[in-house]
Amino acid sequence: MRRLAVALALAVALAPTAALGAQALDPTATEALATTLRMLLDPTQRSAALAGNAPAGQIDQQIRALTGSEALTQEFYALAADVMQELTQGSGGDPAKMTEALARGSTDPSGFAAALSPRTLERLRQLSVKISDQRR
């Protein structure tokens, strides 16, 4: 699960920048979040974004190697979208706070995961099990 948490933090870091907990977003942050969520959830938009960003393309390849299937890759990005939404709302859309939370997540993935909502954390656990089961 640690590896999955790190990969999830990396996937969220792919998103354009626009303590987790709900805060009101200004219109600019709201639009940036909506754009990011569409990119993470729509394989066509995601492919276009990855095509112009070599480091992001490398992370996507790592995610695909981790998940092992297109279905699990899509589930992974859907989970990343949920994390991105929580991260954005929790920071009030402040890019510096989001970057700081992601940096902490790369050194303490368990701490980052523990800050997620119970629903999102459960989805992370379920995806981790699916990926683990697929590798057997």
Side-chain angles (χ1 to χ4, degrees):
M1 179 136 128
R2 177 179 165 84
R3 185 173 175 198
L4 183 59
V6 169
L8 188 56
L10 288 172
V12 172
L14 289 176
T17 302
L20 303 180
Q23 291 186 27
L25 300 178
D26 65 31
T28 302
T30 299
E31 180 55 35
L33 176 60
T35 299
T36 299
L37 296 179
R38 283 191 299 273
M39 184 271 302
L40 287 169
L41 295 171
D42 182 335
T44 303
Q45 287 187 28
R46 190 171 57 244
S47 292
L50 292 169
N53 186 330
Q58 291 172 349
I59 293 170
D60 180 66
Q61 289 305 311
Q62 292 173 2
I63 291 166
R64 291 177 182 284
L66 175 70
T67 60
S69 76
E70 190 59 37
L72 288 178
T73 297
Q74 188 60 29
E75 190 172 338
F76 180 95
Y77 277 109
L79 180 58
D82 286 349
V83 171
M84 185 67 189
Q85 186 163 8
E86 289 183 24
L87 181 63
T88 303
Q89 290 175 332
S91 69
D94 182 327
K97 288 181 182 177
M98 294 167 65
T99 300
E100 183 180 308
L102 289 171
R104 281 193 316 268
S106 68
T107 59
D108 181 16
S110 296
F112 183 83
L116 299 173
S117 71
R119 178 184 164 276
T120 300
L121 185 55
E122 181 57 29
R123 287 187 61 209
L124 175 60
R125 286 186 181 119
Q126 289 174 358
L127 181 57
S128 180
V129 168
K130 287 179 186 178
I131 291 170
S132 178
D133 287 350
Q134 180 170 320
R135 291 176 171 239
R136 292 181 191 170

